[in-house]
Amino acid sequence: EVQLVESGGGLVQAGGSLRLSCAASGFAFDDYNIGWFRQVPGKEREGVSCISSTGDGTYYAASVTGRFTISRDSAKNTVYLQMNSLKPEDTAVYFCAAALWSTGWGPLPSLYSYWGQGTQVIVSS
């Protein structure tokens, strides 16, 4: 069974940090690009960051560049999103997703086949 399980969300004050984790199982993790997305009610899902299957390619949305860092650990089948200098506008449900490397990669949700259930991040001002 394919599973992506996010963890690490929570409530934090503006300027604080959180590290999200995405634990993958049930598929060949090293063959998949992994993306982080976020969504707030009434808005479309936004691509935040993604990392290539090999780990040597990364993407960040302009709104998080310089504050967020994505990484992956093949030994643990896990992708991390380190979020620093958090702002109230980062408040959202954060999802991780997986796309087979040959599908292409980037911040488009339609590229991704597998999705986690999401973890809530709330940044208070």
Side-chain angles (χ1 to χ4, degrees), residues 49-70:
S49 181
C50 54
I51 188 165
S52 65
S53 58
T54 59
D56 58 3
T58 58
Y59 161 86
Y60 298 95
S63 58
V64 307
T65 297
R67 300 188 298 122
F68 291 11
T69 303
I70 192 170

Side-chain angles (χ1 to χ4, degrees), residues 39-104:
Q39 190 167 24
V40 297
K43 292 190 175 181
E44 292 186 355
R45 195 163 291 190
E46 174 192 11
V48 175
S49 181
C50 54
I51 188 165
S52 65
S53 58
T54 59
D56 58 3
T58 58
Y59 161 86
Y60 298 95
S63 58
V64 307
T65 297
R67 300 188 298 122
F68 291 11
T69 303
I70 192 170
S71 61
R72 65 190 295 158
D73 184 338
S74 292
K76 297 182 178 180
N77 282 10
T78 300
V79 171
Y80 304 97
L81 186 67
Q82 178 67 44
M83 306 188 298
N84 298 328
S85 302
L86 283 162
K87 304 175 180 180
E89 52 264 43
D90 294 319
T91 295
V93 178
Y94 283 70
F95 301 87
C96 65
L100 186 63
W101 69 270
S102 56
T103 304

